[in-house]
């Protein structure tokens, strides 16, 4: 398994987690935080407010997803950039093919019949 495949698996995993965290939130404040006691002022697992935890985890997952996408650019196979651009270098290294005449075929040598008057 190459590094690009590992990045791809991590991107899919983080994207799934980000979707789950966003879907748990309720824009009106009645999401997961309201089910644990109303205003979200109770402590749940050492976190004062569930909404703050969800907001921070959303930003953390979004930042991690962006960083993984940017880092995966370096792991794309065949995109090492080892070939230099011909336009930037200013040299045209393309080889010219000498012009050749087409080969006569047997069908070209057959005389076409003239129409009868």
């Amino acid at each position: 398994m190459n590094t690009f495949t590992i990045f791809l698996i991590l991107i899919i995993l983080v994207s799934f987690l980000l979707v789950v965290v966003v879907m748990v939130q309720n824009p009106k404040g009645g999401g997961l935080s309201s089910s644990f006691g109303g205003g979200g002022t109770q402590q749940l697992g050492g976190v004062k407010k569930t909404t703050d935890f969800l907001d921070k985890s959303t930003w953390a997952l979004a930042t991690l997803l962006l960083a993984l996408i940017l880092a995966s650019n370096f792991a794309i196979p065949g995109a090492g950039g080892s070939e230099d651009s011909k336009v930037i270098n200013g040299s045209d290294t393309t080889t010219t093919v000498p012009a050749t005449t087409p080969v006569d075929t047997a069908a070209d040598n057959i005389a076409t019949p003239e129409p009868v008057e």
Side-chain angles (χ1 to χ4, degrees):
M1 193 174 343
N2 58 9
T3 56
F4 184 72
T5 307
I6 294 171
F7 274 118
L8 208 59
I9 291 170
L10 288 174
I11 288 171
I12 291 170
L13 180 68
V14 170
S15 299
F16 178 74
L17 289 174
L18 185 61
V19 167
V20 169
V21 168
V22 168
M23 293 301 288
V24 166
Q25 297 177 5
N26 189 354
K28 296 179 182 176
L32 184 63
S33 63
S34 66
S35 65
F36 289 112
T41 57
Q42 295 179 351
Q43 290 188 357
L44 174 68
V47 179
K48 286 187 177 183
K49 295 183 180 180
T50 307
T51 54
D52 288 343
F53 172 73
L54 291 175
D55 287 340
K56 288 179 182 179
S57 61
T58 301
W59 282 106
L61 286 172
T63 304
L64 180 63
L65 180 64
L66 182 65
L68 283 172
I69 290 171
L70 291 175
S72 70
N73 186 35
F74 297 110
I76 295 175
S82 61
E83 295 182 20
D84 292 333
S85 175
K86 295 173 186 168
V87 176
I88 293 175
N89 291 341
S91 63
D92 186 17
T93 59
T94 58
T95 58
T96 58
V97 178
T100 58
T101 59
V103 177
D104 291 334
T105 60
D108 292 339
N109 294 331
I110 298 175
T112 57
E114 295 184 20
V116 178
E117 293 181 20

